[in-house]
Amino acid sequence: MKSKFNLVAFIGGIGILFLLNDLIGMIQKQAWFDAIINVELIALMAYYIFIYPLKPLNMNSVLMAFIAFHFTVVGIEALLEQNILNLIVSGVILVFVAGYTWYDRKHKYRLKLNLKSRR
């Protein structure tokens, strides 16, 4: 049986370990919004390492969902901390994500990451 060494998956796995270590520290400090963002990054890396190679789905919708979730959390944190600049930036990005999603559904443009070289 051949085993394929994937450098991206290896580096992503190491990144997940570092993020889990950082997540434990954030939970101990009770930095809940930073912990949620760390969980989001762990989920994105796990999706890319474990699910994407088996089912290369539409990356646009997956990435847009992660971006929308991320900036919703950033916007809520900015609202609670009364940070107007972060609130405006996250609002603008969420409007961009909604517009891009609408454009994507209308024009059916798809982005697929091809890990195989075309030689």
Side-chain angles (χ1 to χ4, degrees):
M1 179 189 288
K2 292 183 179 180
S3 80
K4 183 178 177 184
F5 178 73
N6 189 347
L7 186 61
V8 174
F10 178 71
I11 293 172
I14 291 174
I16 287 175
L17 291 176
F18 280 110
L19 284 171
L20 284 172
N21 183 32
D22 195 33
L23 178 66
I24 292 169
M26 287 178 186
I27 290 173
Q28 290 172 347
K29 293 178 187 175
Q30 295 181 349
W32 302 115
F33 286 106
D34 294 332
I36 289 172
I37 291 173
N38 248 11
V39 169
E40 172 196 350
L41 292 173
I42 291 169
L44 181 64
M45 291 170 81
Y47 170 81
Y48 184 72
I49 292 170
F50 299 113
I51 297 172
Y52 183 76
L54 301 175
K55 291 183 172 183
L57 301 174
N58 179 13
M59 285 298 287
N60 284 350
S61 62
V62 172
L63 291 176
M64 287 298 135
F66 274 109
I67 290 171
F69 179 77
H70 175 78
F71 283 102
T72 301
V73 171
V74 169
I76 292 171
E77 181 183 24
L79 186 65
L80 292 176
E81 293 180 356
Q82 298 177 352
N83 188 343
I84 301 301
L85 181 62
N86 280 355
L87 184 64
I88 291 170
V89 168
S90 61
V92 166
I93 291 174
L94 287 174
V95 168
F96 168 76
V97 167
Y100 182 80
T101 304
W102 176 76
Y103 177 83
D104 186 42
R105 286 186 184 158
K106 189 172 183 177
H107 294 286
K108 303 292 182 198
Y109 173 74
R110 299 291 179 244
L111 169 69
K112 290 191 176 179
L113 300 175
N114 188 2
L115 299 177
K116 297 176 185 174
S117 63
R118 296 182 182 184
R119 290 182 188 175

